[in-house]
Amino acid sequence: MLYQELQPVDSFKLKMASPFSDYDRQLLTLFYQPLIGPQAMSLFMSFWADAEREKENEFNHYYLMNLLTMPLGQVFEARISLEAIGLLRTYCRTVGDDRSFVYELLAPMDAKSFFDDPLLSTFLFSKIGEQAYRGLRNRFLDENLVEGTYKEVSRTFLDVYKPIRSGASEQVDETGDIKGRNESKGIQIAHSDFDFNLLRSGLSEQMVPKSSLASVSKELIEKLAFLYSLTPIDMQKVIMMALDENLRLPENRVRKAAVDYYKTNISQNVPTIEKVFTKERAIPIEEPKSREDKFIFYMENTAPREMLKDYTGNEPLPVDVELAERLVTVHGFPIGVVNVLLHYIIIRNDGKITKNYAERIASHWANKKIATAKEAMEISRKEHDQYIKWQNEGSKKSTSKRKPTRVEKVPEWFYQNDEEKVQQPVSDVDPSIDEKRRQLLEKLDAMRSGVK
């Protein structure tokens, strides 16, 4: 299901209406990083660096996988975390089989707006604890205003300027839109099912004037109801608690009343916000059971560069990385297919990757429309004899008529790993190759926890 949302070959461009400042960097690091985690933060900072280039560039998502050393699933989860917190807007366009994205970076909310938002401030409190939260809040307080030692004496615009009539009849051209600072508006509660009619029906005009209730934004009521699990009936009581002596509803009193009601009637513990989108809807992943399932899971969730590094234990050659990128970008293969192809050639060719041999097999797979790691493994088994012939055609040894003294080397997955299937004879396994396979399999469990 991930490939319905995103593929490595999908292209993207970056949009940022105005440069970010050092103040924005502080807000991102101190306020947002505890909420979104290091992976989403790394993705945003990478977007920020690329968006500041003078020339607009187009990238594909394979570039992000290599840059961040993340599988595609983790890149997608990091992206939707940025979207949910209000730091990124994503736009998609599909033309035929080609899909492209535009990622618009939004500047973080300023400190005051952040702490005034009940969802963001409570989310941060639950992540970093009371002591750190209070310290962070005090850091951004305006000490002069708190101490009350200063009063504002600034002149207004009308104090300084006044309009003067002119005899000229020229008009200013005001057509076209002006770019502004694309700042985050915070967490948006879309498609809320909160029943405002039920809330209003339980509040009489004598007790709560309609004008007072109208002064409280619907967004604030929705956020408080969501955060503290309040029903419209609960919210009626919160509104009654928040009324001041003039029957008005200042928003700070509404927020405080919601907190008091929650502590009195629901729980003394601060509410927490759990990420559930990817667990329930976006990328449902079944637990791999057999060794082959685990191998397929690894192949489909690991960048080719990392797969080559895991297998050889060394940094892959630049020419091999370029070949992997070509298979993704030119042939349009998913990551899993590229990994199986490279793995097959490494084993068949004593650890070496031959570009012409790889391109020939890739062309064959493209004609067969191979789209998954499992399909790639199956066609490798089915067409193995043909691939041996192609390899011999490109080898100087192809003229030799001697019969091989040992069975041709093939990957372990070539012999299907179910117990009822025939296994590769032990006597024909190169000990060094077998040790590398064992090390690779040991990394599968670690990779599983990193791509969920």
Side-chain angles (χ1 to χ4, degrees):
M1 290 187 67
L2 172 59
Y3 285 98
Q4 297 175 10
E5 296 274 2
L6 190 66
Q7 295 189 35
V9 294
D10 292 340
S11 63
F12 70 90
K13 294 181 180 179
L14 297 168
K15 177 183 177 183
M16 186 168 64
S18 58
F20 294 164
S21 65
D22 185 64
Y23 177 65
D24 293 320
R25 180 187 56 78
Q26 292 184 49
L27 295 173
L28 287 166
T29 304
L30 299 174
F31 290 177
Y32 285 86
Q33 184 169 230
L35 308 184
I36 61 178
Q39 291 182 341
M41 185 69 176
S42 296
L43 179 61
F44 188 88
M45 299 304 286
S46 299
F47 280 163
W48 181 354
D50 283 326
E52 287 186 326
R53 297 186 183 189
E54 293 183 3
K55 182 180 178 181
E56 182 182 70
N57 288 332
E58 188 171 13
F59 307 90
N60 58 43
H61 287 78
Y62 181 70
Y63 161 78
L64 288 178
M65 295 171 66
N66 277 332
L67 180 66
L68 302 172
T69 61
M70 289 184 194
L72 186 65
Q74 289 183 9
V75 172
F76 178 71
E77 289 194 22
R79 192 195 86 185
I80 64 175
S81 294
L82 295 174
E83 295 167 356
I85 209 68
L87 292 175
L88 187 72
R89 290 197 190 107
T90 300
Y91 306 90
C92 180
R93 181 180 66 182
T94 303
V95 180
D97 295 332
D98 296 328
R99 182 168 53 188
S100 60
F101 294 88
V102 172
Y103 294 136
E104 181 183 11
L105 278 65
L106 304 178
M109 299 175 71
D110 61 61
K112 183 180 186 307
S113 300
F114 189 97
F115 283 115
D116 284 345
D117 188 296
L119 272 180
L120 286 173
S121 57
T122 304
F123 194 7
L124 181 63
F125 186 98
S126 67
K127 286 289 186 180
I128 66 177
E130 181 177 358
Q131 184 176 356
Y133 179 86
R134 292 189 182 279
L136 191 58
R137 196 174 189 280
N138 290 335
R139 173 175 174 173
F140 286 88
L141 285 177
D142 190 332
E143 296 181 357
N144 292 331
L145 296 181
V146 172
E147 294 172 359
T149 56
Y150 290 82
K151 66 177 182 179
E152 185 175 6
V153 293
S154 308
R155 264 63 172 185
T156 67
F157 182 85
L158 295 179
D159 291 333
V160 181
Y161 297 98
K162 66 178 181 179
I164 298 177
R165 292 184 179 182
S166 173
S169 60
E170 296 179 359
Q171 293 184 352
V172 178
D173 183 8
E174 295 185 353
T175 59
D177 295 327
I178 305 299
K179 275 198 292 188
R181 177 178 165 91
N182 49 348
E183 185 173 288
S184 172
K185 294 180 175 60
I187 298 175
Q188 305 298 306
I189 304 294
H191 312 298
S192 170
D193 58 357
F194 186 84
D195 192 340
F196 282 94
N197 291 329
L198 179 57
L199 170 65
R200 297 188 192 96
S201 66
L203 299 173
S204 66
E205 174 68 19
Q206 291 75 22
M207 294 296 295
V208 183
K210 289 183 180 179
S211 59
S212 297
L213 186 59
S215 68
V216 182
S217 69
K218 287 186 176 181
E219 184 181 12
L220 176 63
I221 293 176
E222 288 176 320
K223 286 184 176 182
L224 292 174
F226 168 79
L227 178 61
Y228 297 112
S229 303
L230 303 178
T231 66
I233 304 300
D234 295 330
M235 210 64 202
Q236 291 173 6
K237 300 172 184 176
V238 170
I239 295 297
M240 295 296 295
M241 293 169 58
L243 282 170
D244 64 13
E245 62 275 10
N246 297 316
L247 297 183
R248 290 179 300 190
L249 287 169
E251 290 196 347
N252 62 327
R253 289 180 63 92
V254 176
R255 286 196 294 268
K256 185 177 185 306
V259 173
D260 294 340
Y261 183 87
Y262 174 82
K263 289 182 177 179
T264 303
N265 298 279
I266 300 177
S267 173
Q268 288 290 324
N269 298 322
V270 176
T272 58
I273 299 175
E274 181 183 0
K275 187 178 180 181
V276 297
F277 179 87
T278 55
K279 294 180 181 177
E280 296 180 358
R281 292 180 292 164
I283 321 173
I285 301 176
E286 292 184 4
E287 187 77 12
K289 297 178 181 178
S290 67
R291 292 184 70 186
E292 182 167 306
D293 288 341
K294 294 178 181 178
F295 182 81
I296 292 174
F297 183 85
Y298 173 83
M299 287 291 178
E300 291 188 338
N301 290 277
T302 306
R305 179 175 184 169
E306 291 301 307
M307 186 279 295
L308 293 173
K309 185 177 179 180
D310 287 343
Y311 184 78
T312 63
N314 300 309
E315 198 64 40
L317 297 174
V319 65
D320 294 340
V321 175
E322 290 175 7
L323 174 61
E325 292 178 353
R326 176 176 171 81
L327 293 172
V328 172
T329 57
V330 177
H331 292 280
F333 285 134
I335 294 298
V337 175
V338 174
N339 281 335
V340 171
L341 174 56
L342 296 178
H343 189 259
Y344 175 81
I345 294 174
I346 288 173
I347 302 297
R348 286 282 303 119
N349 208 27
D350 290 328
K352 294 178 291 184
I353 298 177
T354 306
K355 181 180 178 181
N356 291 339
Y357 185 39
E359 290 277 7
R360 192 165 187 180
I361 296 177
S363 179
H364 181 236
W365 287 8
N367 292 333
K368 294 291 185 179
K369 301 187 184 306
I370 302 302
T372 67
K374 186 174 182 63
E375 291 176 358
M377 293 163 66
E378 289 173 353
I379 196 172
S380 298
R381 297 174 184 129
K382 182 179 178 181
E383 303 290 344
H384 179 60
D385 291 341
Q386 179 63 54
Y387 298 160
I388 291 177
K389 181 179 177 182
W390 289 347
Q391 184 182 23
N392 290 337
E393 287 175 359
S395 172
K396 294 180 180 179
K397 296 180 180 180
S398 60
T399 57
S400 174
K401 297 183 179 180
R402 289 189 304 163
K403 293 183 179 180
T405 58
R406 55 183 293 176
V407 177
E408 292 282 351
K409 290 180 183 177
V410 291
E412 186 179 55
W413 50 260
F414 184 88
Y415 299 96
Q416 294 176 332
N417 291 321
D418 299 332
E419 292 183 359
E420 66 271 14
K421 302 295 181 181
V422 178
Q423 298 292 325
Q424 184 178 13
V426 176
S427 59
D428 294 314
V429 178
D430 187 325
S432 64
I433 296 295
D434 187 62
E435 174 62 19
K436 290 177 181 177
R437 290 175 183 161
R438 185 189 65 77
Q439 293 174 358
L440 181 60
L441 288 172
E442 287 178 353
K443 295 181 180 181
L444 295 182
D445 289 337
M447 289 299 304
R448 284 165 49 200
S449 62
V451 297
K452 284 185 179 180

